[in-house]
Amino acid sequence: MLSKINLSQLEESLSKVKILVVGDLILDRYFWGSVERISPEAPVPVFDLKEITHSLGGSANVSANLRGLSVQTFLMGVVGKDEKGDLLIKIAEECGINTQGILKDPERPTTLKTRVIAQSQQLLRIDKEVRLPLSSDIKKAFQEIYEELLSNVDGVILSDYAKGMFLSDSFCNWLIEEAKRHKKFIMIDPKSADWKKYQGATSITPNLKEFKEVLRYENLKEENLDEASFYLVKKYELDFLVVTLGKEGIYLFQPEKGGLRLASQAREVFDVSGAGDTVIASLSAFFGAGFSIEDAVTLANICAGIVVGKVGTQPVYLEELKKFLKEGGSHGKNCQN
C-alpha cells in the first residue's frame, strides 16, 4: 500500500537528491520508417527510412531517468574518441547530466545499438561494441574522479551491461567499498551471475531471467522465491533485493519482513527496452529522497509501467508519474537527438 504522497512537494524532495551513475555507456540509434513491400531480390522486407534519432542507452539511460525525475545526476563511464562519443556527451549535457566523469578511450569505439523500427515494431537490432576490460590508466583516472564525485552525492548506481566497466571484479568491489566507507547507498543493476563482485551493496535489481541465472549458479531451487532471496541477501550482505518480473510486476525481499509482490502497473506495453534502467533509477531516486523501501519500490514499479508504454529507450518523467498518481498516464519530452 503506497503511503500518501504530497505531490506538490515531490519535485522539491527529488531535486535535492544527488546520485552518481557509474557504468557502461551506450548510444542508442533509431532508424524510423515503414515496410510496405517485399524485396524482389530476396524474401525480405524493404525498409523505407524516414528519420534517424539518437538517445541515451545503458547507464546513460539510467542517468536520463534520474534527470526525468528532477534528480541531480552525475555520470561516469567511458566512450570512444569518436563522433558517437561526442554525441552521447552532448545529449547527456542537454538533459542536464553532469558529464565530468566521462572519459574518452581511443582504444575502443563508443558502444552503439541501432534499432530498426517500422509501424512501432522493432524489426532488427545491430550492435557495434568492443567488450574489453578497462586499461590500468583509465581505471586509475576513474578512481580519482570517483573519489572526487563521491563526496558530493547521496548514493551511487552501478549499471552493469558487461561492456567493460565492471569486467574487473576487484574494481567493482573497490567502488562498493568506497561508497560504503563514505556512507553512501549503492544500488546495482547486475549482468553477472556471480554476485561476489557486487557484495556489500545496498540492493541488487536483477530481472527475472538474470535472477534465475543466479539461482542456477548458486545451485538454488527456483520454486521458493523467498528462501532463495533470503539466502542471496545474507550471502552478499544486501539490505534488500528487488526482482523485476516483467508483465508480473516486481518483487521486493527484505530479510526482516520477507517477500512482497507488486502487480505490474503497465496499461499497455510497446517496448520493454530500458525498463530495468527506469526501475533502478526511480528506486534510487525515491530511496535517496527518504521514502520507505516499500514506497520506493512501489513508485519504481509505477515508473516502469509508464515507460514500457513508450516506443524506444526513453526515460520516465516526473510529470508523467504525478499525472499517473492523480488520474493515470501521459507522455513527456524526450532526451533524444
Side-chain angles (χ1 to χ4, degrees):
M1 183 80 176
L2 185 65
S3 303
K4 188 174 181 181
I5 296 175
N6 187 329
L7 295 180
S8 63
Q9 294 180 358
L10 187 58
E11 184 169 4
E12 181 182 354
S13 298
L14 289 169
S15 67
K16 295 177 181 177
V17 179
K18 299 178 181 180
I19 295 179
L20 169 60
V21 180
V22 184
D24 296 300
L25 303 177
I26 299 171
L27 181 65
D28 284 342
R29 178 170 62 183
Y30 290 88
F31 289 168
W32 304 92
S34 61
V35 172
E36 307 290 345
R37 61 194 176 95
I38 300 298
S39 171
E41 303 167 0
V44 295
V46 175
F47 179 76
D48 186 11
L49 178 63
K50 305 292 186 184
E51 184 183 12
I52 299 174
T53 63
H54 296 83
S55 62
L56 301 176
S59 60
N61 185 48
V62 176
S63 298
N65 275 274
L66 288 169
R67 284 301 301 142
L69 293 171
S70 299
V71 172
Q72 298 178 57
T73 308
F74 302 79
L75 182 56
M76 191 173 128
V78 61
V79 295
K81 198 171 184 179
D82 51 32
E83 180 184 351
K84 298 297 185 291
D86 292 340
L87 180 56
L88 186 150
I89 293 171
K90 177 176 178 287
I91 297 173
E93 290 176 344
E94 288 174 350
C95 288
I97 297 167
N98 184 306
T99 63
Q100 72 180 87
I102 298 180
L103 299 180
K104 294 183 178 182
D105 184 352
E107 300 301 315
R108 71 173 75 211
T110 300
T111 300
L112 177 67
K113 290 184 180 180
T114 302
R115 296 174 176 90
V116 181
I117 310 287
Q119 286 90 15
S120 298
Q121 296 294 318
Q122 186 175 155
L123 303 181
L124 179 67
R125 197 181 89 183
I126 306 163
D127 290 2
K128 182 181 180 182
E129 62 189 22
V130 173
R131 300 187 180 193
L132 292 173
L134 299 175
S135 69
S136 57
D137 288 344
I138 291 285
K139 196 184 302 181
K140 183 178 179 181
F142 272 137
Q143 288 177 315
E144 293 175 0
I145 294 170
Y146 188 70
E147 291 284 11
E148 179 184 345
L149 293 176
L150 201 53
S151 60
N152 193 40
V153 299
D154 301 301
V156 178
I157 296 173
L158 301 190
S159 176
D160 188 356
Y161 272 78
K163 307 299 183 189
M165 279 295 290
F166 307 115
L167 292 182
S168 166
D169 288 5
S170 61
F171 180 61
C172 193
N173 290 148
W174 179 83
L175 292 168
I176 294 170
E177 288 303 317
E178 282 300 295
K180 290 172 66 178
R181 189 169 68 84
H182 285 80
K183 303 187 185 312
K184 314 295 184 180
F185 70 81
I186 184 156
M187 307 288 193
I188 314 289
D189 191 357
K191 190 57 68 176
S192 173
D194 181 359
W195 281 6
K196 187 177 180 181
K197 69 200 285 187
Y198 308 131
Q199 187 157 346
T202 305
S203 183
I204 303 179
T205 65
N207 60 36
L208 185 58
K209 178 176 178 290
E210 291 164 344
F211 185 70
K212 288 181 176 180
E213 288 173 354
V214 175
L215 297 189
R216 286 192 290 272
Y217 182 86
E218 298 282 347
N219 292 316
L220 297 173
K221 294 181 180 179
E222 294 183 11
E223 292 81 38
N224 196 316
L225 196 57
D226 287 354
E227 287 185 7
S229 298
F230 182 82
Y231 173 86
L232 292 171
V233 165
K234 287 300 182 182
K235 179 175 181 179
Y236 295 107
E237 304 171 29
L238 312 176
D239 291 351
F240 60 96
L241 175 67
V242 175
V243 183
T244 55
L245 306 174
K247 64 180 181 180
E248 301 300 323
I250 201 165
Y251 170 79
L252 164 66
F253 183 84
Q254 300 175 82
E256 69 280 5
K257 295 183 179 180
L260 174 67
R261 285 177 179 261
L262 299 171
S264 172
Q265 295 297 307
R267 286 178 166 79
E268 52 187 353
V269 179
F270 284 112
D271 194 339
V272 298
S273 60
D277 298 338
T278 298
V279 168
I280 196 165
S282 51
L283 170 64
S284 301
F286 294 112
F287 185 81
F291 285 78
S292 70
I293 295 172
E294 291 90 344
D295 283 353
V297 171
T298 300
L299 289 166
N301 189 40
I302 292 171
C303 289
I306 293 170
V307 87
V308 297
K310 305 180 182 185
V311 179
T313 303
Q314 297 188 47
V316 70
Y317 294 94
L318 184 58
E319 289 305 314
E320 295 174 315
L321 174 62
K322 288 166 68 175
K323 187 166 186 177
F324 183 100
L325 293 173
K326 284 191 287 188
E327 59 193 54
S330 176
H331 295 288
K333 60 183 180 180
N334 299 325
C335 276
Q336 294 184 324
N337 189 11

